[in-house]
Amino acid sequence: MGLFDLLHHPDIQQGVKAYHETDRAILLDVRTPQEYREGHIPGSRNVPLQELHRVASVAAEKDTPLFVYCHSGARSRQAVGELRRMGYLHVRNIGGIAAYTGKVESV
């Protein structure tokens, strides 16, 4: 990761659009269950960063495209690194829901 990567903030709007355009993709919310219940992007699956070891319950195949977000983009950046170490091949940090302007669902 270079300096540019640290200064570049993913565009969550573009990330959600790419998720919708990608076959077999999973939108992964790595925030806490409480944060997820308070509001999440429709269609996303909640696997908190601290429980990333159970991601296989939503993405059994290592070639499943994963689009990862959190609140600000920091936890999703950590999750992307961990998912890659776990062997997932197509993982993308799309940033934080705090910058999202689309529809949000609450549970």
Side-chain angles (χ1 to χ4, degrees):
M1 179 182 337
L3 180 61
F4 177 75
D5 295 324
L6 292 174
L7 298 175
H8 177 329
H9 297 285
D11 181 336
I12 193 162
Q13 271 69 240
Q14 288 292 76
V16 171
K17 182 177 185 284
Y19 154 71
H20 285 295
E21 295 170 348
T22 304
D23 289 338
R24 301 182 318 107
I26 293 175
L27 185 58
L28 195 61
D29 183 325
V30 295
R31 298 175 302 149
T32 66
Q34 177 66 31
E35 289 174 299
Y36 183 80
R37 283 190 298 273
E38 290 171 0
H40 58 272
I41 299 170
S44 64
R45 306 291 300 269
N46 183 225
V47 179
L49 179 61
Q50 299 81 357
E51 299 175 22
L52 214 51
H53 61 276
R54 66 177 190 85
V55 72
S57 67
V58 297
E61 303 297 323
K62 300 287 185 176
D63 67 343
T64 301
L66 299 173
F67 291 79
V68 186
Y69 75 93
C70 63
H71 177 75
S72 67
R75 284 177 282 179
S76 55
R77 184 174 55 246
Q78 287 180 290
V80 164
E82 182 61 27
L83 289 163
R84 287 181 178 150
R85 284 188 288 281
M86 293 169 70
Y88 285 89
L89 303 173
H90 308 291
V91 187
R92 179 175 168 189
N93 176 13
I94 64 169
I97 195 170
Y100 185 60
T101 58
K103 182 180 177 188
V104 174
E105 294 180 332
S106 298
V107 179

